[in-house]
Amino acid sequence: MSLVSEEFPDEVPLRAEEITIPADVTPERVPTHIVDYSEAEQSEEQLYQEISKANVICIVYSVNNKKSIEKVTSHWIPLINDRTDKDSRVPLILVGNKSDLVEHSSMETILPIMNQYQDIETCVECSAKNLKNISELFYYAQKAVLHPTGPLYCPEEKELKASCIKALTRIFKVSDLDNDGILNDNELNFFQKTCFNTPLAPQALEDVKNVVRRNMTDGVKDNGLTLKGFLFLHTLFIQRGRHETTWTVLRRFGYDDDLELTQEYLFPLIKIPADCTTELNHNAYLFLQSVFDKHDKDRDCALSPEEVKDLFKVFPYMPWGPDVNNTVCTNDDGWITYQGYLSQWTLTTYLDVQRSLEYLGYLGYSIIYEQESQAAAITVTRNKRIDLQKKQTQRSVFRCNVLGARDSGKSGFLQAFLGRNLQRQRRIREEHKSLYAMSTTYVYGQEKYLLLHEVMPDFDFLSEVDLACDVVCLVYDVNNPSSFEYCAKVYKQHFIDSKTPCVLIAAKSDLHEVRQHYGLSPHDFCRKHKLQPPQPFTCNTTEVPSKDLYTRLTTMAMYPVVCVCVLVENKKGIFVCFFRSYASLRCMCACNRCSYCLCHNLLKLELLRSIKAQIRRLVLSRHMAQADLKNSTFWLRASVGATVFAVLGFAMYRALLKTR
């Protein structure tokens, strides 16, 4: 009543009416509902109900009444503890009232009680008659709820609790932008601005470091704040009653009252419509690049196992298992390269965007890049149907599902994409194998990610997820007569009427090709269904397997309904440009069956480049076959022939352009 009226009432009722203090008149800007209890007017059942609803409880005793003080420990605290869960105790404030009636303090009697019961946040002596410490009393009550001591600090040990140390250590590592174990002046200023919206003046920075220097020897190093110094400062804040400073830092970095990262922080809302995919945007890649550079201490463009562990110290668990090393590119030591590191992040974002958001949250993306949440790192692509209608796409990640019978060579096909020949693949342990492979290809100068997914060969259990992709690879073993039948059945049941482009892969092409136990040979099957001829593939090479086939797959995924240029050598040795649609359409550009033709735009560059390459190979082969033709007449004829082919190629391009 003294708080509200700011004067002591002449007649004090047994119980005051319930009062709500509006947010705009409190220092913490939080509305406060105050409920009084009187034994004379209310039952114990009413008391229990109020205790269950309370966020904080003030136990009031009279400083001039010894029995009143004794009742705090003999009655009130046990009663409250009996009615609250041990893991969610309500903070208590001890209030010594009527301080105007005595000249001494009751603190000597109260301090042992405070040390005995951890639930007691603080004790304050006041006088309702003189209005002494009345406002402060309710401020401390609010503070006990908003900035509790319990989760942060152990009064008996006089040190931070383990959960608080763990949270502050993560905050330190996120703020240590160069990962040198020290917060320099720039990093301290960035931290200060991030948490409190204002930088520290140079003198204030020095004062902070001097306080640490005076109290510990290893708190400051190279004029920067070490982790020990950082933890000491927060211990000092709490010991001096400035819990709100530490809580402001914790909450800015996503922690709740139990010192756990909140669900809202880790998993911000992001809407993903049907037939859309998720990718990392440019800022996200810049951030991930900075994280990689921060932990690649030996600057070898690869992360050693120790560097990977250091990177994930800000995580509550290790997110990458040994299978990751067989999902993306690694160096000769089996360490994840820079390209492999980005590929794994791209893979996670594509397959499980919520997990990617969680990982970015642990790394502090939204804090370092000053974004509302890490959802700002994600690009949601437009509907795939719109891409098909517009004959163009802005996507950077394309999925290729790899299907085939058991032992057909699917795993080898995936690992070859990562640059591993058969010899390297044999060193992979069975339990460390992955069903995914992710790397980059270049399509007409643009870097794109291709995700290969090995689908398990359970024909009767192929789900929509197994079938949903941008391009399909049907793999069969040329040395196994029963291998092709699976590919034919899958194609006829799931893809014959689909707009998804399909490619047959003749795996293990280094082995003897046998006749397949199917009604049609693979070549006849492709001819009947207007597919490209089977593409020979082997990973049994001495060198790194070629990426040409994977580039072709990415191109098909990017342009599933447009023509591409194919050079074919006819029986007379003349190279002719044909046009072939991956959507099972065969046409010349002039027939208008394709509304857009990739060849038409790229012919001048790509056709001439291809013709020149074919001419070089032809000249080289003839040179090897006729080694005796070394006179100047032969080279003159070869030069004239090359010129004629180049002119013919350019003439074809002009003719196509005119027809268009």
Side-chain angles (χ1 to χ4, degrees):
M1 293 178 71
S2 295
L3 175 74
V4 175
S5 62
E6 296 186 348
E7 62 181 9
F8 186 71
D10 295 331
E11 295 183 8
V12 181
L14 293 174
R15 183 173 68 94
E17 295 295 328
E18 295 184 8
I19 301 167
T20 298
I21 304 174
D24 55 357
V25 298
T26 62
E28 298 292 340
R29 300 293 176 182
V30 177
T32 305
H33 192 60
I34 304 173
V35 180
D36 189 16
Y37 171 76
S38 170
E39 279 185 306
E41 286 194 354
Q42 293 174 281
S43 66
E44 285 192 351
E45 187 60 36
Q46 289 175 302
L47 173 62
Y48 299 153
Q49 290 178 1
E50 295 299 342
I51 289 174
S52 66
K53 294 186 289 185
N55 300 113
V56 59
I57 296 173
C58 295
I59 301 176
V60 184
Y61 65 90
S62 175
V63 295
N64 66 340
N65 187 332
K66 189 176 181 181
K67 288 184 178 180
S68 176
I69 298 174
E70 291 174 351
K71 201 172 181 181
V72 170
T73 54
S74 64
H75 177 70
W76 292 116
I77 293 179
L79 184 147
I80 292 169
N81 287 343
D82 288 343
R83 293 291 165 175
T84 55
D85 294 332
K86 188 175 181 180
D87 296 331
S88 57
R89 290 282 170 84
V90 180
L92 305 177
I93 307 291
L94 298 187
V95 181
N97 194 25
K98 302 185 180 181
S99 63
D100 59 291
L101 298 180
V102 294
E103 295 181 358
H104 63 275
S105 172
S106 63
M107 284 301 170
E108 290 185 4
T109 309
I110 295 300
L111 282 176
I113 299 175
M114 292 182 65
N115 292 331
Q116 183 181 354
Y117 295 96
Q118 296 183 13
D119 303 330
I120 300 175
E121 282 288 319
T122 189
C123 177
V124 58
E125 290 188 346
C126 65
S127 170
K129 186 173 184 178
N130 295 342
L131 305 182
K132 178 186 175 183
N133 287 342
I134 297 299
S135 297
E136 288 79 359
L137 156 64
F138 291 100
Y139 168 71
Y140 289 133
Q142 282 187 331
K143 192 175 176 181
V145 179
L146 299 174
H147 312 299
T149 308
L152 307 181
Y153 186 74
C154 180
E156 292 83 3
E157 303 294 334
K158 295 184 179 180
E159 61 183 24
L160 298 174
K161 289 187 174 180
S163 57
C164 182
I165 292 174
K166 182 180 177 181
L168 290 174
T169 300
R170 171 185 166 265
I171 291 170
F172 180 90
K173 287 188 70 66
V174 169
S175 304
D176 183 12
L177 301 179
D178 55 9
N179 199 33
D180 62 351
I182 299 169
L183 295 184
N184 58 39
D185 286 358
N186 290 333
E187 291 166 340
L188 280 170
N189 257 321
F190 180 79
F191 170 82
Q192 176 76 12
K193 187 178 177 183
T194 297
C195 296
F196 305 102
N197 297 319
T198 179
L200 282 173
Q203 186 56 49
L205 273 174
E206 283 304 312
D207 292 343
V208 167
K209 286 183 279 189
N210 287 333
V211 169
V212 177
R213 285 191 187 100
R214 286 196 297 269
N215 287 275
M216 58 193 318
T217 56
D218 52 355
V220 177
K221 181 181 177 182
D222 298 334
N223 202 35
L225 201 63
T226 66
L227 174 60
K228 286 186 177 180
F230 184 74
L231 295 175
F232 168 77
L233 275 180
H234 285 282
T235 305
L236 198 62
F237 290 146
I238 295 167
Q239 289 174 343
R240 293 183 177 180
R242 292 173 55 189
H243 315 75
E244 64 273 14
T245 302
T246 301
W247 276 114
T248 300
V249 171
L250 290 166
R251 286 174 177 145
R252 178 65 184 90
F253 279 78
Y255 289 93
D256 61 14
D257 291 347
D258 298 319
L259 298 186
E260 298 287 344
L261 290 171
T262 66
Q263 294 296 298
E264 293 77 14
Y265 173 79
L266 290 177
F267 305 104
L269 183 64
I270 181 171
K271 294 181 179 180
I272 307 170
D275 291 330
C276 296
T277 59
T278 47
E279 300 176 1
L280 295 167
N281 60 29
H282 179 65
N283 282 339
Y285 280 117
L286 289 178
F287 172 74
L288 292 172
Q289 179 183 345
S290 69
V291 172
F292 183 93
D293 293 339
K294 175 178 173 178
H295 293 89
D296 182 22
K297 294 184 178 180
D298 53 9
R299 296 293 181 262
D300 62 348
C301 289
L303 295 177
S304 67
E306 292 73 23
E307 289 170 340
V308 170
K309 286 180 182 178
D310 185 48
L311 190 155
F312 290 126
K313 278 184 179 178
V314 294
F315 285 57
Y317 56 88
M318 174 57 71
W320 290 0
D323 60 309
V324 172
N325 294 61
N326 300 312
T327 303
V328 297
C329 294
T330 58
N331 63 12
D332 293 337
D333 295 320
W335 300 352
I336 296 174
T337 63
Y338 172 69
Q339 186 58 58
Y341 164 84
L342 292 182
S343 295
Q344 179 61 26
W345 276 99
T346 305
L347 171 74
T348 305
T349 305
Y350 184 90
L351 294 178
D352 189 353
V353 68
Q354 292 297 324
R355 180 151 299 187
S356 186
L357 290 171
E358 178 189 1
Y359 292 173
L360 288 170
Y362 291 136
L363 292 172
Y365 171 82
S366 60
I367 294 160
I368 301 301
Y369 268 56
E370 302 180 51
Q371 300 289 338
E372 185 176 345
S373 74
Q374 53 268 28
I378 306 299
T379 295
V380 179
T381 64
R382 69 184 179 188
N383 193 299
K384 189 176 177 181
R385 294 193 190 95
I386 299 176
D387 284 349
L388 294 174
Q389 291 170 3
K390 293 183 176 292
K391 312 293 190 301
Q392 58 181 349
T393 181
Q394 300 298 321
R395 294 163 59 198
S396 298
V397 185
F398 299 91
R399 178 169 179 159
C400 172
N401 283 351
V402 182
L403 296 95
R406 295 187 187 279
D407 299 321
S408 59
K410 300 187 298 297
S411 298
F413 184 71
L414 266 68
Q415 290 301 311
F417 184 37
L418 305 178
R420 296 166 187 163
N421 58 20
L422 189 60
Q423 185 178 358
R424 281 191 66 184
Q425 292 178 29
R426 285 172 176 162
R427 298 201 294 264
I428 300 174
R429 295 169 61 178
E430 187 66 31
E431 62 270 24
H432 294 167
K433 287 185 176 179
S434 173
L435 295 177
Y436 295 95
M438 185 76 150
S439 189
T440 56
T441 62
Y442 285 86
V443 179
Y444 302 117
Q446 300 179 58
E447 184 183 54
K448 301 295 180 182
Y449 283 94
L450 179 64
L451 166 61
L452 299 181
H453 175 212
E454 179 182 343
V455 180
M456 299 306 291
D458 295 322
F459 187 83
D460 297 329
F461 298 98
L462 291 178
S463 65
E464 290 186 8
V465 176
D466 296 329
L467 302 174
C469 58
D470 302 299
V471 61
V472 175
C473 275
L474 300 172
V475 182
Y476 71 95
D477 180 358
V478 299
N479 193 241
N480 183 348
S482 304
S483 184
F484 177 71
E485 183 178 4
Y486 177 89
C487 297
K489 286 183 177 179
V490 168
Y491 177 80
K492 290 171 70 175
Q493 180 165 338
H494 297 290
F495 299 108
I496 192 169
D497 296 321
S498 170
K499 291 184 178 179
T500 305
C502 297
V503 178
L504 274 167
I505 305 296
K508 306 180 185 180
S509 60
D510 57 303
L511 302 178
H512 174 66
E513 184 171 2
V514 299
R515 184 177 179 180
Q516 295 291 323
H517 294 168
Y518 186 73
L520 294 173
S521 69
H523 283 79
D524 291 339
F525 183 88
C526 291
R527 192 176 300 112
K528 178 181 177 180
H529 295 286
K530 299 181 180 179
L531 298 171
Q532 281 191 348
Q535 304 296 306
F537 168 79
T538 180
C539 56
N540 190 12
T541 59
T542 56
E543 303 296 329
V544 174
S546 171
K547 271 195 171 185
D548 291 347
L549 181 55
Y550 304 102
T551 301
R552 198 177 313 164
L553 290 172
T554 312
T555 307
M556 294 171 67
M558 289 179 65
Y559 306 105
V561 293
V562 301
C563 296
V564 296
C565 179
V566 181
L567 279 173
V568 180
E569 183 179 3
N570 65 16
K571 294 180 180 179
K572 296 181 180 180
I574 299 175
F575 295 94
V576 183
C577 180
F578 289 86
F579 298 92
R580 175 69 180 272
S581 169
Y582 287 129
S584 300
L585 293 173
R586 291 184 177 182
C587 66
M588 297 296 287
C589 288
C591 77
N592 293 325
R593 290 183 65 184
C594 290
S595 58
Y596 172 84
C597 183
L598 183 65
C599 299
H600 193 75
N601 288 336
L602 298 173
L603 188 60
K604 183 176 180 180
L605 175 64
E606 296 299 324
L607 178 58
L608 292 180
R609 185 184 298 166
S610 300
I611 288 174
K612 290 177 181 178
Q614 294 279 15
I615 290 170
R616 283 197 296 269
R617 285 196 289 270
L618 180 62
V619 170
L620 181 61
S621 65
R622 289 181 178 176
H623 175 70
M624 297 296 291
Q626 303 174 12
D628 57 314
L629 295 178
K630 297 181 179 179
N631 54 56
S632 58
T633 305
F634 169 77
W635 291 110
L636 180 60
R637 288 201 302 269
S639 301
V640 171
T643 305
V644 170
F645 272 108
V647 171
L648 283 174
F650 186 74
M652 288 173 66
Y653 167 74
R654 293 294 299 273
L656 287 172
L657 186 62
K658 192 174 295 183
T659 305
R660 179 74 171 179

